[in-house]
Amino acid sequence: MPAKLTLHPPERASRFVILRPTRAVLIGRDPAVDLVLEDPRVSKRHARLRPDRVEDRVEDRVGDRVGESGAAGVETWLLEDLGSKNGTTVNGLPAILLNLRDGDWISLGGLVARFEMISEEAAAALYHDRLRRLQTTVEMRHRLSADLDPCDLLLRFLESAVQLTGTERGFVLAASPSEPIRALVSTGFTTDVVEDAAFDGSVGVVNKVLRTVTSIVVSDVQQDAFLASRPSLIALGIRTLACVPLRQDDRLLGVLYVDGRKPGPGFTELDLEILEALAEQMALVLASARLESTVRELASPMAHGTGDDPSLLETLQQRVRSVTITRTR
């Protein structure tokens, strides 16, 4: 029976792999293993997952977990720690050799993962969903390549990012080392939300992306070490969040930000691929309007017809400027 292992790296999109009952999966940082995890807490050869039949189950090191359920011959999965430096735990308890159950939470040296048993039908559905979403992205690129006003085009890209990630709102900022940050377009936000003190949490994320020029994508804010320490984000009820830099030729041109308050499956690596593809297109739009006069015109709330409330963009621009201090490149 196949299984699904969903990994939740800090400040990155969640990643899932389908485990097939025909082969074992070696996990670690070594490029030669089956599932490579680029996390310093994970050992080069950290653990192994292999299919296991009920009648062949072994004694484990965490309580009475052997043979609790399942008929003879039903396949389960066995997790084996390979002498890793930082250890392996299941549901918070140390595990050296353990039969997994549906819904178990695994920690590989601190990198959190969730194990789920799934049907062949569910595994096939996940595969076809990925193909469908990639096809949708291709079609969207063709649709957005029409001859549109730059600001309208940015808004279309932003709305596409919100739709594809299942979030609810977002905004696009222009950033230049020689000019103040400018709010270009937004969707789903209201002036009162932006004026709320809790909005500092969102701006803090933007500030970090501007300083590091790296994406922040989290599936569960409450489980992320950096974001969970920001009560303002919790106060806003944000569950998922993504902030992606807009870059071209090693130049930072702006930032794409989206977030959502509804619980759901969260971001995946595919979501990040889509976001970064959209960010590339947004960066091209900004690069084509790189002349300062054009960028200033785009940033003027009265100069475009995106439907944004001018006071909202002005407030957003002021809030971002008040918190953001430094930017690299």
Side-chain angles (χ1 to χ4, degrees):
M1 185 174 187
K4 177 183 176 185
L5 184 69
T6 305
L7 299 144
H8 298 279
E11 297 182 23
R12 298 292 295 174
S14 62
R15 170 188 180 189
F16 72 83
V17 293
I18 302 301
L19 307 173
R20 292 292 179 181
T22 54
R23 61 188 297 267
V25 177
L26 185 60
I27 304 171
R29 285 189 294 110
D30 192 322
V33 304
D34 303 301
L35 177 55
V36 180
L37 304 179
E38 297 179 356
D39 189 305
R41 298 169 296 178
V42 176
S43 298
K44 289 186 176 181
R45 293 170 59 88
H46 194 104
R48 179 185 291 109
L49 275 166
R50 62 180 174 85
D52 183 51
R53 302 184 74 80
V54 170
E55 63 267 24
D56 298 329
R57 288 186 180 181
V58 299
E59 293 295 328
D60 62 68
R61 309 296 176 88
V62 187
D64 183 17
R65 289 282 296 277
V66 176
E68 288 185 353
S69 63
V74 176
E75 289 177 331
T76 60
W77 284 83
L78 182 70
L79 174 64
E80 178 186 5
D81 183 86
L82 301 177
S84 62
K85 179 180 178 181
N86 294 320
T88 300
T89 66
V90 175
N91 300 327
L93 298 175
I96 297 177
L97 195 60
L98 178 68
N99 286 108
L100 295 173
R101 293 184 297 191
D102 182 51
D104 277 345
W105 284 96
I106 302 169
S107 173
L108 301 164
L111 177 60
V112 177
R114 182 174 174 82
F115 174 85
E116 299 170 271
M117 298 295 294
I118 61 174
S119 64
E120 287 288 353
E121 292 77 12
L126 288 170
Y127 173 76
H128 290 298
D129 180 65
R130 178 180 176 84
L131 292 181
R132 178 185 61 79
R133 296 178 68 186
L134 288 173
Q135 180 62 34
T136 300
T137 304
V138 172
E139 294 172 354
M140 183 174 300
R141 285 190 180 185
H142 288 302
R143 180 171 59 86
L144 293 176
S145 62
D147 186 16
L148 297 173
D149 173 83
C151 222
D152 288 331
L153 190 55
L154 285 175
L155 183 60
R156 292 277 189 92
F157 279 126
L158 174 60
E159 291 173 341
S160 297
V162 169
Q163 176 186 357
L164 287 169
T165 57
T167 50
E168 303 164 39
R169 59 193 186 184
F171 54 79
V172 177
L173 306 175
S176 168
S178 59
E179 289 286 331
I181 291 174
R182 301 180 183 278
L184 299 179
V185 292
S186 71
T187 183
F189 280 96
T190 58
T191 303
D192 59 327
V193 169
V194 176
E195 290 178 339
D196 193 323
F199 188 69
D200 285 348
S202 300
V203 177
V205 173
V206 172
N207 188 32
K208 184 171 183 178
V209 171
L210 288 171
R211 286 188 287 106
T212 62
V213 198
T214 56
S215 301
I216 292 179
V217 182
V218 295
S219 300
D220 189 344
V221 168
Q222 297 182 6
Q223 298 297 322
D224 185 84
F226 169 66
L227 299 180
S229 64
R230 295 179 170 271
S232 50
L233 285 176
I234 305 300
L236 284 175
I238 295 174
R239 297 291 298 272
T240 55
L241 177 152
C243 191
V244 181
L246 309 181
R247 293 175 292 186
Q248 188 187 52
D249 299 330
D250 293 327
R251 291 183 301 163
L252 177 64
L253 303 181
V255 167
L256 163 65
Y257 174 97
V258 294
D259 69 30
R261 293 162 293 180
K262 295 180 180 178
F267 291 111
T268 67
E269 280 195 328
L270 179 57
D271 293 317
L272 182 56
E273 290 176 18
I274 294 172
L275 278 175
E276 291 182 340
L278 290 172
E280 290 178 5
Q281 299 298 316
M282 291 182 178
L284 288 174
V285 174
L286 289 177
S288 67
R290 196 56 187 171
L291 291 175
E292 294 300 328
S293 59
T294 307
V295 174
R296 280 196 292 271
E297 181 180 348
L298 284 177
S300 171
M302 302 302 295
H304 57 75
T306 64
D308 279 321
D309 179 358
S311 62
L312 169 61
L313 288 182
E314 290 172 353
T315 303
L316 175 60
Q317 193 159 294
Q318 291 169 2
R319 290 301 304 279
V320 173
R321 288 181 185 175
S322 67
V323 177
T324 302
I325 301 173
T326 59
R327 301 185 298 279
T328 60
R329 290 203 287 271

PDB file of all heavy atoms in Angstrom, residues 197-219:
ATOM      1  N   ALA A 197      -2.079  47.358  13.806  1.00  0.00           N
ATOM      2  CA  ALA A 197      -0.721  47.136  14.305  1.00  0.00           C
ATOM      3  C   ALA A 197      -0.239  45.724  13.997  1.00  0.00           C
ATOM      4  O   ALA A 197       0.963  45.481  13.834  1.00  0.00           O
ATOM      5  CB  ALA A 197      -0.668  47.393  15.810  1.00  0.00           C
ATOM      6  N   ALA A 198      -1.167  44.768  13.912  1.00  0.00           N
ATOM      7  CA  ALA A 198      -0.787  43.387  13.634  1.00  0.00           C
ATOM      8  C   ALA A 198      -0.183  43.232  12.240  1.00  0.00           C
ATOM      9  O   ALA A 198       0.506  42.241  11.968  1.00  0.00           O
ATOM     10  CB  ALA A 198      -2.001  42.474  13.776  1.00  0.00           C
ATOM     11  N   PHE A 199      -0.428  44.192  11.356  1.00  0.00           N
ATOM     12  CA  PHE A 199       0.117  44.106  10.001  1.00  0.00           C
ATOM     13  C   PHE A 199       1.643  44.179  10.005  1.00  0.00           C
ATOM     14  O   PHE A 199       2.291  43.829   9.022  1.00  0.00           O
ATOM     15  CB  PHE A 199      -0.466  45.230   9.136  1.00  0.00           C
ATOM     16  CG  PHE A 199      -0.110  45.124   7.683  1.00  0.00           C
ATOM     17  CD1 PHE A 199      -0.636  44.115   6.896  1.00  0.00           C
ATOM     18  CD2 PHE A 199       0.758  46.026   7.099  1.00  0.00           C
ATOM     19  CE1 PHE A 199      -0.305  44.010   5.559  1.00  0.00           C
ATOM     20  CE2 PHE A 199       1.087  45.940   5.755  1.00  0.00           C
ATOM     21  CZ  PHE A 199       0.555  44.923   4.986  1.00  0.00           C
ATOM     22  N   ASP A 200       2.231  44.613  11.125  1.00  0.00           N
ATOM     23  CA  ASP A 200       3.684  44.654  11.223  1.00  0.00           C
ATOM     24  C   ASP A 200       4.295  43.272  10.972  1.00  0.00           C
ATOM     25  O   ASP A 200       5.430  43.158  10.515  1.00  0.00           O
ATOM     26  CB  ASP A 200       4.124  45.158  12.600  1.00  0.00           C
ATOM     27  CG  ASP A 200       3.928  46.656  12.747  1.00  0.00           C
ATOM     28  OD1 ASP A 200       3.668  47.316  11.723  1.00  0.00           O
ATOM     29  OD2 ASP A 200       4.039  47.162  13.877  1.00  0.00           O
ATOM     30  N   GLY A 201       3.534  42.216  11.315  1.00  0.00           N
ATOM     31  CA  GLY A 201       4.041  40.868  11.082  1.00  0.00           C
ATOM     32  C   GLY A 201       4.263  40.599   9.608  1.00  0.00           C
ATOM     33  O   GLY A 201       5.302  40.076   9.205  1.00  0.00           O
ATOM     34  N   SER A 202       3.303  40.981   8.778  1.00  0.00           N
ATOM     35  CA  SER A 202       3.448  40.805   7.333  1.00  0.00           C
ATOM     36  C   SER A 202       4.601  41.634   6.797  1.00  0.00           C
ATOM     37  O   SER A 202       5.384  41.180   5.959  1.00  0.00           O
ATOM     38  CB  SER A 202       2.137  41.189   6.628  1.00  0.00           C
ATOM     39  OG  SER A 202       1.067  40.384   7.069  1.00  0.00           O
ATOM     40  N   VAL A 203       4.711  42.860   7.290  1.00  0.00           N
ATOM     41  CA  VAL A 203       5.775  43.746   6.828  1.00  0.00           C
ATOM     42  C   VAL A 203       7.138  43.222   7.268  1.00  0.00           C
ATOM     43  O   VAL A 203       8.131  43.356   6.551  1.00  0.00           O
ATOM     44  CB  VAL A 203       5.544  45.182   7.348  1.00  0.00           C
ATOM     45  CG1 VAL A 203       6.684  46.096   6.930  1.00  0.00           C
ATOM     46  CG2 VAL A 203       4.236  45.723   6.803  1.00  0.00           C
ATOM     47  N   GLY A 204       7.177  42.589   8.443  1.00  0.00           N
ATOM     48  CA  GLY A 204       8.431  42.002   8.905  1.00  0.00           C
ATOM     49  C   GLY A 204       8.916  40.899   7.979  1.00  0.00           C
ATOM     50  O   GLY A 204      10.124  40.753   7.741  1.00  0.00           O
ATOM     51  N   VAL A 205       7.992  40.132   7.430  1.00  0.00           N
ATOM     52  CA  VAL A 205       8.343  39.093   6.469  1.00  0.00           C
ATOM     53  C   VAL A 205       8.905  39.731   5.200  1.00  0.00           C
ATOM     54  O   VAL A 205       9.926  39.292   4.659  1.00  0.00           O
ATOM     55  CB  VAL A 205       7.123  38.218   6.136  1.00  0.00           C
ATOM     56  CG1 VAL A 205       7.445  37.249   5.004  1.00  0.00           C
ATOM     57  CG2 VAL A 205       6.672  37.457   7.378  1.00  0.00           C
ATOM     58  N   VAL A 206       8.244  40.784   4.727  1.00  0.00           N
ATOM     59  CA  VAL A 206       8.722  41.500   3.545  1.00  0.00           C
ATOM     60  C   VAL A 206      10.130  42.035   3.782  1.00  0.00           C
ATOM     61  O   VAL A 206      11.013  41.939   2.925  1.00  0.00           O
ATOM     62  CB  VAL A 206       7.768  42.654   3.182  1.00  0.00           C
ATOM     63  CG1 VAL A 206       8.367  43.516   2.077  1.00  0.00           C
ATOM     64  CG2 VAL A 206       6.415  42.102   2.743  1.00  0.00           C
ATOM     65  N   ASN A 207      10.346  42.586   4.959  1.00  0.00           N
ATOM     66  CA  ASN A 207      11.658  43.139   5.299  1.00  0.00           C
ATOM     67  C   ASN A 207      12.744  42.070   5.228  1.00  0.00           C
ATOM     68  O   ASN A 207      13.839  42.303   4.700  1.00  0.00           O
ATOM     69  CB  ASN A 207      11.606  43.745   6.708  1.00  0.00           C
ATOM     70  CG  ASN A 207      12.870  44.511   7.052  1.00  0.00           C
ATOM     71  OD1 ASN A 207      13.509  45.092   6.183  1.00  0.00           O
ATOM     72  ND2 ASN A 207      13.225  44.507   8.318  1.00  0.00           N
ATOM     73  N   LYS A 208      12.442  40.882   5.750  1.00  0.00           N
ATOM     74  CA  LYS A 208      13.437  39.809   5.728  1.00  0.00           C
ATOM     75  C   LYS A 208      13.746  39.372   4.305  1.00  0.00           C
ATOM     76  O   LYS A 208      14.908  39.116   3.958  1.00  0.00           O
ATOM     77  CB  LYS A 208      12.945  38.631   6.557  1.00  0.00           C
ATOM     78  CG  LYS A 208      13.966  37.507   6.652  1.00  0.00           C
ATOM     79  CD  LYS A 208      13.573  36.436   7.638  1.00  0.00           C
ATOM     80  CE  LYS A 208      14.652  35.374   7.748  1.00  0.00           C
ATOM     81  NZ  LYS A 208      14.322  34.325   8.742  1.00  0.00           N
ATOM     82  N   VAL A 209      12.716  39.278   3.454  1.00  0.00           N
ATOM     83  CA  VAL A 209      12.942  38.883   2.065  1.00  0.00           C
ATOM     84  C   VAL A 209      13.769  39.936   1.332  1.00  0.00           C
ATOM     85  O   VAL A 209      14.650  39.612   0.540  1.00  0.00           O
ATOM     86  CB  VAL A 209      11.597  38.640   1.353  1.00  0.00           C
ATOM     87  CG1 VAL A 209      11.800  38.449  -0.145  1.00  0.00           C
ATOM     88  CG2 VAL A 209      10.905  37.420   1.944  1.00  0.00           C
ATOM     89  N   LEU A 210      13.508  41.216   1.620  1.00  0.00           N
ATOM     90  CA  LEU A 210      14.278  42.278   0.988  1.00  0.00           C
ATOM     91  C   LEU A 210      15.741  42.244   1.433  1.00  0.00           C
ATOM     92  O   LEU A 210      16.649  42.546   0.647  1.00  0.00           O
ATOM     93  CB  LEU A 210      13.672  43.640   1.329  1.00  0.00           C
ATOM     94  CG  LEU A 210      12.338  43.976   0.653  1.00  0.00           C
ATOM     95  CD1 LEU A 210      11.750  45.238   1.258  1.00  0.00           C
ATOM     96  CD2 LEU A 210      12.518  44.140  -0.847  1.00  0.00           C
ATOM     97  N   ARG A 211      15.979  41.862   2.672  1.00  0.00           N
ATOM     98  CA  ARG A 211      17.354  41.813   3.177  1.00  0.00           C
ATOM     99  C   ARG A 211      18.104  40.594   2.674  1.00  0.00           C
ATOM    100  O   ARG A 211      19.289  40.671   2.341  1.00  0.00           O
ATOM    101  CB  ARG A 211      17.355  41.822   4.709  1.00  0.00           C
ATOM    102  CG  ARG A 211      17.037  43.171   5.321  1.00  0.00           C
ATOM    103  CD  ARG A 211      17.246  43.172   6.833  1.00  0.00           C
ATOM    104  NE  ARG A 211      16.205  42.416   7.521  1.00  0.00           N
ATOM    105  CZ  ARG A 211      16.383  41.217   8.054  1.00  0.00           C
ATOM    106  NH1 ARG A 211      17.561  40.619   7.955  1.00  0.00           N
ATOM    107  NH2 ARG A 211      15.388  40.601   8.682  1.00  0.00           N
ATOM    108  N   THR A 212      17.433  39.456   2.617  1.00  0.00           N
ATOM    109  CA  THR A 212      18.106  38.207   2.252  1.00  0.00           C
ATOM    110  C   THR A 212      17.965  37.840   0.776  1.00  0.00           C
ATOM    111  O   THR A 212      18.705  36.993   0.269  1.00  0.00           O
ATOM    112  CB  THR A 212      17.548  37.040   3.093  1.00  0.00           C
ATOM    113  OG1 THR A 212      16.148  36.877   2.822  1.00  0.00           O
ATOM    114  CG2 THR A 212      17.733  37.329   4.596  1.00  0.00           C
ATOM    115  N   VAL A 213      16.990  38.460   0.098  1.00  0.00           N
ATOM    116  CA  VAL A 213      16.690  38.164  -1.309  1.00  0.00           C
ATOM    117  C   VAL A 213      16.443  36.658  -1.496  1.00  0.00           C
ATOM    118  O   VAL A 213      16.902  36.044  -2.460  1.00  0.00           O
ATOM    119  CB  VAL A 213      17.798  38.675  -2.246  1.00  0.00           C
ATOM    120  CG1 VAL A 213      17.278  38.768  -3.684  1.00  0.00           C
ATOM    121  CG2 VAL A 213      18.303  40.022  -1.817  1.00  0.00           C
ATOM    122  N   THR A 214      15.728  36.064  -0.567  1.00  0.00           N
ATOM    123  CA  THR A 214      15.338  34.661  -0.666  1.00  0.00           C
ATOM    124  C   THR A 214      13.861  34.538  -0.316  1.00  0.00           C
ATOM    125  O   THR A 214      13.329  35.324   0.474  1.00  0.00           O
ATOM    126  CB  THR A 214      16.150  33.769   0.291  1.00  0.00           C
ATOM    127  OG1 THR A 214      16.002  34.252   1.629  1.00  0.00           O
ATOM    128  CG2 THR A 214      17.618  33.762  -0.084  1.00  0.00           C
ATOM    129  N   SER A 215      13.205  33.551  -0.892  1.00  0.00           N
ATOM    130  CA  SER A 215      11.774  33.359  -0.673  1.00  0.00           C
ATOM    131  C   SER A 215      11.490  32.823   0.731  1.00  0.00           C
ATOM    132  O   SER A 215      12.288  32.072   1.300  1.00  0.00           O
ATOM    133  CB  SER A 215      11.208  32.371  -1.691  1.00  0.00           C
ATOM    134  OG  SER A 215      11.405  32.832  -3.013  1.00  0.00           O
ATOM    135  N   ILE A 216      10.352  33.234   1.286  1.00  0.00           N
ATOM    136  CA  ILE A 216       9.821  32.652   2.510  1.00  0.00           C
ATOM    137  C   ILE A 216       8.457  32.078   2.158  1.00  0.00           C
ATOM    138  O   ILE A 216       7.571  32.800   1.719  1.00  0.00           O
ATOM    139  CB  ILE A 216       9.686  33.688   3.636  1.00  0.00           C
ATOM    140  CG1 ILE A 216      11.065  34.158   4.100  1.00  0.00           C
ATOM    141  CG2 ILE A 216       8.911  33.106   4.814  1.00  0.00           C
ATOM    142  CD1 ILE A 216      11.011  35.204   5.213  1.00  0.00           C
ATOM    143  N   VAL A 217       8.304  30.783   2.317  1.00  0.00           N
ATOM    144  CA  VAL A 217       7.046  30.115   2.008  1.00  0.00           C
ATOM    145  C   VAL A 217       6.752  29.148   3.143  1.00  0.00           C
ATOM    146  O   VAL A 217       7.537  28.239   3.402  1.00  0.00           O
ATOM    147  CB  VAL A 217       7.128  29.342   0.671  1.00  0.00           C
ATOM    148  CG1 VAL A 217       5.795  28.688   0.349  1.00  0.00           C
ATOM    149  CG2 VAL A 217       7.545  30.274  -0.451  1.00  0.00           C
ATOM    150  N   VAL A 218       5.642  29.342   3.840  1.00  0.00           N
ATOM    151  CA  VAL A 218       5.309  28.473   4.965  1.00  0.00           C
ATOM    152  C   VAL A 218       3.872  27.976   4.839  1.00  0.00           C
ATOM    153  O   VAL A 218       2.987  28.700   4.406  1.00  0.00           O
ATOM    154  CB  VAL A 218       5.490  29.188   6.322  1.00  0.00           C
ATOM    155  CG1 VAL A 218       6.933  29.525   6.572  1.00  0.00           C
ATOM    156  CG2 VAL A 218       4.645  30.447   6.401  1.00  0.00           C
ATOM    157  N   SER A 219       3.684  26.712   5.203  1.00  0.00           N
ATOM    158  CA  SER A 219       2.361  26.103   5.139  1.00  0.00           C
ATOM    159  C   SER A 219       1.565  26.328   6.412  1.00  0.00           C
ATOM    160  O   SER A 219       0.342  26.347   6.387  1.00  0.00           O
ATOM    161  CB  SER A 219       2.491  24.602   4.876  1.00  0.00           C
ATOM    162  OG  SER A 219       3.147  24.365   3.654  1.00  0.00           O
TER     163      SER A 219
END
